[in-house]
Amino acid sequence: CKPVNVKHIEKLKAGKSQVESQGRTKGHGAYMSPTADKVLRKKLLKGKDPAAFRYEEPPNFISGIDRCNMVELMIKDSDWIMCDRFEAENDANGTEGKKLIQSIVSRFYGYEVSDRPFRRSLLSVLSVSGIDALDNIKSEHSIRGILFVVNRQQDDGRNPQEILSQHPHGAKAEVIWDDQWENRDISSSMLRKLWSEGKD
């Protein structure tokens, strides 16, 4: 999450509620993992000359440490959502962070952990993401380890159904639809755009 907002929390709640209501599994807990600084810098510098910020951070840059602190404040009253600082503090990518969580969960419970939804293994560690993350997924294997939650409009105006239909593996995606998604538009991307333009 970059930076955290209420929609991130709602995605986790929607994913947990959906799979539990269908009787497929029990959601025991969730980690929110703020993105590494290098990833956020790249997003904030999109369309800008990186050389202009060689010795300083992009406008309104928020460090991974501060973003982790923001997450911890937002979830302080939750008994099942936690903050994972691994990506932010080690400039790691999401795949590395997920593998670490799988390893920890496996050692803690003593069972093999699956990265696929609802396999017969006793435990699964899945990613929960917005539908726009499909743009970065190239393989069928990767798409099966993610729960996609549609709970807002897309920043670029695309229709979520079209995103799914146009993706080569969209038919394999596990998608959860929020009934009110068309009435919402807040997102981290929107906040980054406003901040990069110097707007509060």
Side-chain angles (χ1 to χ4, degrees), residues 93-130:
N93 61 45
T95 300
E96 293 171 314
K98 185 174 179 180
K99 286 181 177 178
L100 178 64
I101 291 173
Q102 288 174 326
S103 175
I104 292 172
V105 170
S106 178
R107 289 201 302 269
F108 181 82
Y109 287 101
Y111 295 111
E112 181 181 353
V113 175
S114 171
D115 63 351
R116 299 290 187 88
F118 323 121
R119 282 278 183 92
R120 289 188 176 182
S121 56
L122 293 176
L123 294 167
S124 294
V125 174
L126 311 174
S127 298
V128 177
S129 182

Side-chain angles (χ1 to χ4, degrees), residues 119-146:
R119 282 278 183 92
R120 289 188 176 182
S121 56
L122 293 176
L123 294 167
S124 294
V125 174
L126 311 174
S127 298
V128 177
S129 182
I131 200 69
D132 49 350
L134 265 177
D135 294 335
N136 302 315
I137 296 175
K138 309 302 181 187
S139 71
E140 181 179 337
H141 173 80
S142 298
I143 209 171
R144 289 183 171 176
I146 303 173

Side-chain angles (χ1 to χ4, degrees), residues 129-192:
S129 182
I131 200 69
D132 49 350
L134 265 177
D135 294 335
N136 302 315
I137 296 175
K138 309 302 181 187
S139 71
E140 181 179 337
H141 173 80
S142 298
I143 209 171
R144 289 183 171 176
I146 303 173
L147 295 179
F148 296 94
V149 178
V150 179
N151 66 343
R152 64 172 176 82
Q153 298 179 40
Q154 301 306 295
D155 300 310
D156 56 10
R158 289 184 298 167
N159 184 296
Q161 288 97 336
E162 291 178 359
I163 296 175
L164 282 167
S165 64
Q166 293 171 2
H167 192 279
H169 306 298
K172 301 289 186 181
E174 180 85 22
V175 184
I176 297 167
W177 295 86
D178 184 306
D179 292 339
Q180 298 297 315
W181 72 267
E182 292 179 292
N183 301 320
R184 302 184 180 120
D185 59 6
I186 186 173
S187 69
S188 293
S189 300
M190 176 188 291
L191 294 175
R192 285 196 306 271

Side-chain angles (χ1 to χ4, degrees), residues 1-119:
C1 41
K2 42 191 187 297
V4 64
N5 64 67
V6 67
K7 292 293 167 250
H8 291 121
I9 305 295
E10 289 183 0
K11 278 178 186 160
L12 291 175
K13 289 180 178 179
K16 183 176 187 291
S17 175
Q18 180 83 354
V19 297
E20 289 184 344
S21 67
Q22 294 175 352
R24 293 188 292 180
T25 189
K26 168 75 175 173
H28 293 282
Y31 278 104
M32 300 187 72
S33 184
T35 309
D37 285 352
K38 62 183 178 183
V39 176
L40 184 57
R41 286 190 192 98
K42 184 177 180 180
K43 288 181 176 290
L44 288 174
L45 290 174
K46 189 174 183 179
K48 296 181 174 63
D49 178 12
F53 298 95
R54 187 175 300 164
Y55 303 109
E56 60 184 85
E57 298 293 3
N60 298 297
F61 176 82
I62 303 175
S63 74
I65 303 302
D66 287 337
R67 284 181 284 117
C68 285
N69 292 338
M70 291 168 67
V71 169
E72 289 173 349
L73 282 172
M74 182 168 273
I75 63 174
K76 63 183 177 65
D77 296 324
S78 175
D79 61 358
W80 66 279
I81 303 175
M82 300 156 281
C83 179
D84 176 29
R85 290 176 167 260
F86 176 76
E87 284 184 62
E89 293 186 348
N90 294 278
D91 235 11
N93 61 45
T95 300
E96 293 171 314
K98 185 174 179 180
K99 286 181 177 178
L100 178 64
I101 291 173
Q102 288 174 326
S103 175
I104 292 172
V105 170
S106 178
R107 289 201 302 269
F108 181 82
Y109 287 101
Y111 295 111
E112 181 181 353
V113 175
S114 171
D115 63 351
R116 299 290 187 88
F118 323 121
R119 282 278 183 92

